[in-house]
Amino acid sequence: MLLLGVGFVASATVAFAVLYLLSDAFGVERVPLAARQGTAAVVCVLLFLVDAWGVRRGRTCTLALPRQTSKRLYYSRGPRIGAFVWGLDTGLSVTTYRVSATTWAALGLTALHIAPVWTGISYGLGFALPIMAAILVPRWRPDAEDGTRREPRWIPRLLQRRVHVVQTGGLVAITATTALLTTALLGVTW
């Protein structure tokens, strides 16, 4: 579990930092902040619409690649290296079907230098810490047949039943981001 988290955080950190540095090389800082904020607000509205359309149809983000990291990694490379490589792949942020419009918004804000270069660290920890807690904190139950401990299967089942809630939370996050960008453009201070 730790190696999966380390791989995810490392990969996300590098992915966001590379995006930030690439956009810096293309001179994004020379574009006025108001123009970057306006662009980000429009992108967030479009992402909101795409995600809302997907949520209404009970689907995940339609802007994601329809693939998942192969489970063969676990069997071919072992639990340690396989977990680390799995984390590296999923931490890239846009390589699997688990990408959401919120992820794209975070990448866009980073590319426009509205979000800082270290956004990938926050993104990575925001994924890795809850997953680790969900797996490591609940008590594992002994198997009735041989006494070995089994992982608590209720967690993935609960998460699968609550996908709609998580997707709605993403829509709320994009709405809040859009509102903040809009108020910044209008010169509203809190």
Side-chain angles (χ1 to χ4, degrees):
M1 213 42 246
L2 180 62
L3 289 172
L4 173 78
V6 167
F8 191 97
V9 172
S11 184
T13 300
V14 169
F16 277 82
V18 165
L19 179 62
Y20 187 93
L21 294 172
L22 277 173
S23 64
D24 190 51
F26 282 101
V28 74
E29 286 286 336
R30 290 191 298 262
V31 176
L33 179 60
R36 289 184 279 139
Q37 290 172 328
T39 301
V42 169
V43 167
C44 284
V45 168
L46 293 174
L47 288 169
F48 174 89
L49 294 172
V50 167
D51 233 17
W53 179 77
V55 168
R56 285 192 54 131
R57 287 173 172 61
R59 298 173 56 194
T60 56
C61 183
T62 55
L63 300 174
L65 296 172
R67 67 170 285 276
Q68 177 173 320
T69 307
S70 174
K71 289 185 179 182
R72 286 182 291 167
L73 280 173
Y74 180 83
Y75 300 112
S76 66
R77 302 289 183 223
R80 289 183 176 88
I81 300 298
F84 181 70
V85 173
W86 192 307
L88 288 174
D89 182 31
T90 55
L92 289 173
S93 309
V94 295
T95 58
T96 70
Y97 74 93
R98 289 181 173 85
V99 175
S100 72
T102 309
T103 303
W104 288 109
L107 289 165
L109 292 171
T110 301
L112 292 168
H113 288 206
I114 295 169
V117 67
W118 50 264
T119 300
I121 296 170
S122 301
Y123 178 85
L125 291 174
F127 168 84
L129 294 178
I131 292 294
M132 289 174 155
I135 291 172
L136 298 175
V137 171
R139 293 174 46 197
W140 289 36
R141 299 179 195 113
D143 191 353
E145 295 175 18
D146 63 3
T148 59
R149 294 168 19 134
R150 294 182 299 165
E151 70 176 281
R153 298 259 183 227
W154 62 271
I155 294 171
R157 290 183 192 125
L158 174 70
L159 292 173
Q160 193 60 38
R161 286 192 311 266
R162 301 289 186 242
V163 166
H164 187 73
V165 173
V166 173
Q167 288 174 319
T168 302
L171 291 173
V172 169
I174 289 176
T175 301
T177 301
T178 305
L180 288 171
L181 288 165
T182 304
T183 57
L185 281 170
L186 297 174
V188 176
T189 57
W190 299 96

